[in-house]
Amino acid sequence: MKSICVYCGSSAGSSAVYTEGAQALAKQFVDHDIALVYGGGKVGLMGVIADEVLRLGGKATGVIPKALMDKEVGHTGLTKLHVVKDMHERKAMMADLSDGFIAMPGGVGTLEELFEVFTWAQLGFHTKPIGLLNVAGFYDSLVAFLNHTVQSKFLKAEHLAMLFNEADPAKLVQDFRQYQPVLVDKWLKKQDL
């Protein structure tokens, strides 16, 4: 586990607990010599986690589309910053540079990125760990909904089990470091319906 991609908000959110969660995750990365890969912004939780990783002596790589860099939201103090053509190129590069994916609190962009890599895992396109840093129960409703999709036979329980859900950054990083991929066929068989 050399690098982990973190998806998170370009806002800091409504509570200091989200900033504290980002800082705690950054400490775990540096303590375990894991480089941060993220969306390259200097604002919100994106900026918080990058700044904390750098402050603690770790490495932070950002990937940002030119249109966002032009709006002056790019973080220019990173270990490495890739300025790319568009969001598709950004997400592909972030995935290529990462050994796993963590979603911290964020908005629809964070959810979209999370569900893309979760879908890729479900389809067998990668075998990297995926997790929620569920700060202050932020993702509890989402986890309840995902359990509903399992009960409704739209998602296999084995696929949902691929998604770690932890409030403690230390436990989440430990889960990632011990991760052993399990391949499960995506499609339900007729007898499973």
Side-chain angles (χ1 to χ4, degrees), residues 10 39-43 64-76 81 83-85 87 90:
S10 58
K42 65 181 179 184
V43 296
I64 192 167
K66 185 176 184 322
L68 292 179
M69 192 68 191
D70 290 346
K71 291 183 179 184
E72 299 180 358
V73 297
H75 196 309
T76 56
L81 179 64
V83 180
V84 297
K85 180 179 65 172
M87 293 295 281
R90 176 198 218 180

Side-chain angles (χ1 to χ4, degrees), residues 99-113:
D99 299 319
F101 309 93
I102 292 175
M104 288 184 35
V108 294
T110 300
L111 293 172
E112 186 267 336
E113 291 166 323

Side-chain angles (χ1 to χ4, degrees), residues 112-127:
E112 186 267 336
E113 291 166 323
L114 166 67
F115 280 111
E116 182 170 63
V117 294
F118 191 17
T119 301
W120 292 350
Q122 184 186 33
L123 294 171
F125 294 169
H126 74 79
T127 57

Side-chain angles (χ1 to χ4, degrees), residues 101-166:
F101 309 93
I102 292 175
M104 288 184 35
V108 294
T110 300
L111 293 172
E112 186 267 336
E113 291 166 323
L114 166 67
F115 280 111
E116 182 170 63
V117 294
F118 191 17
T119 301
W120 292 350
Q122 184 186 33
L123 294 171
F125 294 169
H126 74 79
T127 57
K128 301 173 184 180
I130 306 165
L132 302 171
L133 182 58
N134 195 359
V135 178
F138 182 83
Y139 282 115
D140 288 353
S141 295
L142 178 63
V143 171
F145 174 74
L146 290 172
N147 280 308
H148 174 67
T149 65
V150 170
Q151 293 163 2
S152 300
K153 301 281 186 184
F154 286 105
L155 178 66
K156 287 185 176 182
E158 297 90 344
H159 285 136
L160 181 53
M162 297 166 96
L163 181 66
F164 291 103
N165 173 25
E166 292 291 344

Side-chain angles (χ1 to χ4, degrees), residues 27-95:
K27 182 173 184 339
Q28 289 302 311
F29 280 17
V30 175
D31 286 353
H32 294 286
D33 198 25
I34 297 169
L36 169 68
V37 175
Y38 83 115
K42 65 181 179 184
V43 296
L45 292 182
M46 294 173 71
V48 170
I49 192 167
D51 287 342
E52 188 69 1
V53 163
L54 294 167
R55 186 185 75 77
L56 295 171
K59 295 178 183 165
T61 297
V63 184
I64 192 167
K66 185 176 184 322
L68 292 179
M69 192 68 191
D70 290 346
K71 291 183 179 184
E72 299 180 358
V73 297
H75 196 309
T76 56
L78 300 172
T79 310
K80 190 168 220 175
L81 179 64
H82 300 276
V83 180
V84 297
K85 180 179 65 172
D86 57 31
M87 293 295 281
H88 297 292
E89 190 175 335
R90 176 198 218 180
K91 291 187 296 178
M93 181 178 281
M94 288 167 69

